[in-house]
Amino acid sequence: QVQLAESGGGLVQPGGSLRLSCVASGFTFSLSIMSWHRQAPGKERELVASSIVAGGITNYADSVKGRFTISSDNAKNAVYLEMNSLKAEDTALYLCKASTSRGSYWGQGTQVTVSS
């Protein structure tokens, strides 16, 4: 059974930082594509960052380039999203997604709120 457990969200002031974690189980993590998505109220879900775990290839949405960094740890079956210089418009539910040979799976999400 595939499980994705996100953590690390919270309330942060503009300009602040947060580190999100997603711990995965139930599939071969090293052969997957892991990604972070976000969904703000009234808006469509959007891709924030992705990582081809085996090759370490990453991709970012233009809105977060230079501020967010995705990384993974094969030993811990975990993917992280380091978020710096946070803005109010980064406020959203952040969800972890695993794309595997058997299909795609989503976590429940962790809320990030950027507000003074």
Side-chain angles (χ1 to χ4, degrees), residues 30-67:
S30 61
L31 299 181
S32 68
I33 298 173
M34 299 299 296
S35 53
W36 286 97
H37 301 249
R38 67 187 180 187
Q39 187 161 20
K43 294 187 177 181
E44 292 188 355
R45 189 172 294 183
E46 62 172 346
L47 173 67
V48 175
S50 64
S51 173
I52 301 175
V53 176
I57 299 171
T58 58
N59 184 55
Y60 297 91
D62 287 343
S63 59
V64 307
K65 280 181 181 177
R67 300 189 298 123

Side-chain angles (χ1 to χ4, degrees), residues 1-6 22-25 27 33-39 44-49 93-100 103-110:
Q1 181 180 359
V2 174
Q3 291 187 324
L4 299 170
E6 302 103 327
C22 173
V23 178
S25 61
F27 62 96
I33 298 173
M34 299 299 296
S35 53
W36 286 97
H37 301 249
R38 67 187 180 187
Q39 187 161 20
E44 292 188 355
R45 189 172 294 183
E46 62 172 346
L47 173 67
V48 175
L93 180 68
Y94 283 71
L95 304 109
C96 176
K97 177 183 177 183
S99 300
T100 79
S104 296
Y105 305 89
W106 292 89
Q108 293 297 309
T110 184

